[in-house]
Amino acid sequence: MDLAKRLNRLPPYLFVEINQRIAELKARGEDIISFAIGDPDLPTPSHIIEHMCQAAHDPANHRYPETAGLPELRQAIAEWYERRFGVNLNPDKEVLPLIGSKEGIGHMALCFIEPGDLALVPDPSYPPFFMGTILAGGRPYFMPLKEANDFLPDFKAIPGKIADKAKLMWLNYPNNPTGAIAGLDFFEKAVDFAQKHDLAICHDAPYTEVAFDGYKPPSFMQTAGAKKIGVEFHSLSKTYHMTGWRIGMVVGNADMVDALFRVKSNLDSGIPQAIQYAAVEALRGSQEHTAERNAILQRRRDKLLKVLNEIGLKARIPKATFYIWAKIPQGYTSIDFTKKLLDEAGIAVTPGTGYGKEGEGYIRLSLTISDDRLEQGMSRLLAWHRRSK
Ligand SMILES: Cc1ncc(COP(=O)(O)O)c(C=O)c1O
């Protein structure tokens, strides 16, 4: 079999060894408590499921959907953006539903990147930003996100020649994995930078509704000029606990939205319609669960941060996302420290280097773990720390 060489260009999957170790320990009957996965543990709100069930019984929804999504869904997305961010979108030209935002993120690279082309990608970052670029034959140019710079890229540090050559820049706030946030002032700088260097911007914003302490994250689309040069990816996954249903959206620049539509219409046949109707209900119906969920996550955040602090793992207090980006003690790599926690405490976390080389020295812990397991996990961490002193 002669597989395409592009597969060899994908960086090694860093979690392989750790996942194997978790599987071995589990097979031996060990109880592993996982802080590793960013997947809401709370169920999809029941009114959304009710709508999905009703729609599933309608034979009209048993047939192929359109790639462009139901007009009603595009309209509901546009209304949600207007209500939540005051952003006006044309539902037919500036909105495209996706089979989860990851799907659109991966395919967007095909709209811009030709062999050898550059995309500016944050490091650390959500892997599909750079994986999409690599699969399209391009090269990511990594913009380090440093704690000293509040995990924002320093545009001034990007050589002019690189910025001129690059076609696309990826950004993501509130940020996975660092939990960092960005204000409209930062987005304005990003738009200026992109205009100066003729870059398109893809901003990924699935965590705008997961926020704490009264903070309301903005949308990149609120920035003057954003629609001229960019799009925003969003998702129902984190907002409505719908990761398993696979539905998201891209909004913004009509040409970019159309380019992605053209790629997608040749590769997929849209989102099952019952799920689209569920999304319409999610976007238009009661939003009460958001405040409840955020209160639960905030309580978990504060408890876990206290324990991490007690055991010497320093972390900033995230204002949004359900991630804690904790600094590990000196003398370990992220991978070694992750293995140590797994072997000695039965705790799984994600090594920072899974998100890029700048993730070295960090681990990511997710708050999407039930309260019971969180309590058990925290007790284990404290006991492990006492034992290792
Ligand atoms: C930054 C970021 N973007 C996109 C996604 C994917 O979301 P979806 O479920 O919509 O594909 C995730 C999921 O973890 C994420 O962290």
Side-chain angles (χ1 to χ4, degrees):
M1 207 185 297
D2 188 16
L3 293 175
K5 291 191 185 47
R6 73 171 62 85
L7 292 180
N8 301 333
R9 298 182 62 220
L10 291 174
Y13 184 57
L14 261 171
F15 305 126
V16 170
E17 210 186 326
I18 285 164
N19 287 346
Q20 264 170 5
R21 186 82 192 122
I22 294 175
E24 272 166 33
L25 291 170
K26 282 189 174 162
R28 270 205 255 141
E30 306 254 354
D31 174 39
I32 305 299
I33 298 180
S34 179
F35 288 89
I37 297 163
D39 188 356
D41 59 306
L42 301 167
T44 309
S46 55
H47 65 103
I48 300 174
I49 302 289
E50 292 302 330
H51 268 73
M52 194 187 308
C53 292
Q54 273 170 27
H57 285 294
D58 182 350
N61 296 326
H62 300 175
R63 311 191 70 187
Y64 282 124
E66 298 278 347
T67 305
L70 292 163
E72 199 178 339
L73 174 59
R74 295 198 307 272
Q75 181 66 37
I77 292 170
E79 285 164 14
W80 185 82
Y81 255 84
E82 175 74 55
R83 256 196 328 276
R84 171 63 177 86
F85 301 113
V87 168
N88 183 269
L89 296 167
N90 177 330
D92 296 327
K93 296 205 157 88
E94 296 173 338
V95 174
L96 180 64
L98 302 170
I99 313 169
S101 58
K102 183 178 187 180
E103 174 266 303
I105 290 167
H107 285 143
M108 192 51 128
L110 295 177
C111 302
F112 280 90
I113 303 295
E114 296 189 52
D117 281 349
L118 282 183
L120 305 182
V121 179
D123 177 3
S125 73
Y126 179 58
F129 300 160
F130 51 87
M131 296 293 190
T133 302
I134 292 172
L135 282 173
R139 283 178 298 134
Y141 176 88
F142 289 108
M143 307 181 285
L145 305 186
K146 302 272 190 200
E147 188 155 357
N149 203 25
D150 296 326
F151 298 112
L152 297 169
D154 177 4
F155 297 133
K156 289 200 249 18
I158 301 169
K161 264 201 209 144
I162 297 282
D164 284 340
K165 188 160 187 275
K167 293 185 126 178
L168 195 61
M169 175 163 69
W170 287 96
L171 295 171
N172 159 228
Y173 293 96
N175 183 261
N176 175 16
T178 65
I181 54 174
L184 288 175
D185 54 333
F186 169 76
F187 291 145
E188 276 160 24
K189 279 189 208 145
V191 170
D192 284 351
F193 179 74
Q195 277 173 337
K196 187 165 159 217
H197 296 285
D198 194 17
L199 280 166
I201 293 184
C202 287
H203 182 248
D204 183 24
Y207 297 99
T208 61
E209 308 316 295
V210 182
F212 315 118
D213 309 316
Y215 173 64
K216 274 208 151 223
S219 158
F220 169 66
M221 298 319 300
Q222 287 169 254
T223 321
K227 223 193 250 184
K228 282 203 195 117
I229 47 103
V231 290
E232 182 160 88
F233 287 88
H234 213 298
S235 173
L236 281 83
S237 285
K238 323 286 169 164
T239 308
Y240 302 103
H241 318 154
M242 287 177 72
T243 48
W245 304 114
R246 312 307 306 134
I247 186 154
M249 62 271 208
V250 65
V251 306
N253 183 276
D255 293 334
M256 290 173 73
V257 167
D258 180 58
L260 188 53
F261 169 78
R262 280 157 57 202
V263 168
K264 277 171 58 59
S265 58
N266 284 292
L267 294 177
D268 69 61
S269 300
I271 307 154
Q273 286 191 177
I275 294 172
Q276 296 192 51
Y277 281 114
V280 171
E281 169 61 18
L283 294 164
R284 286 189 174 150
S286 162
Q287 307 290 311
E288 256 170 40
H289 76 283
T290 303
E292 288 161 20
R293 188 257 334 281
N294 288 349
I296 292 171
L297 290 174
Q298 185 173 323
R299 207 172 52 238
R300 291 180 188 168
R301 175 199 72 174
D302 293 343
K303 281 185 176 181
L304 185 58
L305 278 172
K306 188 161 171 284
V307 167
L308 293 177
N309 202 33
E310 270 173 56
I311 67 173
L313 300 180
K314 296 265 178 296
R316 290 190 171 197
I317 307 172
K319 285 254 178 242
T321 77
F322 34 59
Y323 302 116
I324 294 181
W325 188 236
K327 254 196 171 127
I328 59 171
Q330 287 202 332
Y332 294 98
T333 65
S334 313
I335 296 267
D336 288 344
F337 194 73
T338 301
K339 282 191 202 151
K340 190 175 166 66
L341 279 181
L342 192 58
D343 288 338
E344 297 177 10
I347 297 286
V349 299
T350 320
T353 40
Y355 304 94
K357 139 170 130 7
E358 293 290 332
E360 188 54 276
Y362 293 89
I363 51 172
R364 193 197 76 172
L365 294 99
S366 168
L367 300 168
T368 54
I369 168 170
S370 73
D371 291 327
D372 283 0
R373 293 296 267 171
L374 175 69
E375 292 297 335
Q376 284 175 24
M378 290 188 307
S379 305
R380 276 195 200 178
L381 285 171
L382 287 168
W384 165 77
H385 183 62
R386 275 196 299 274
R387 279 200 309 275
S388 32
K389 263 206 246 176

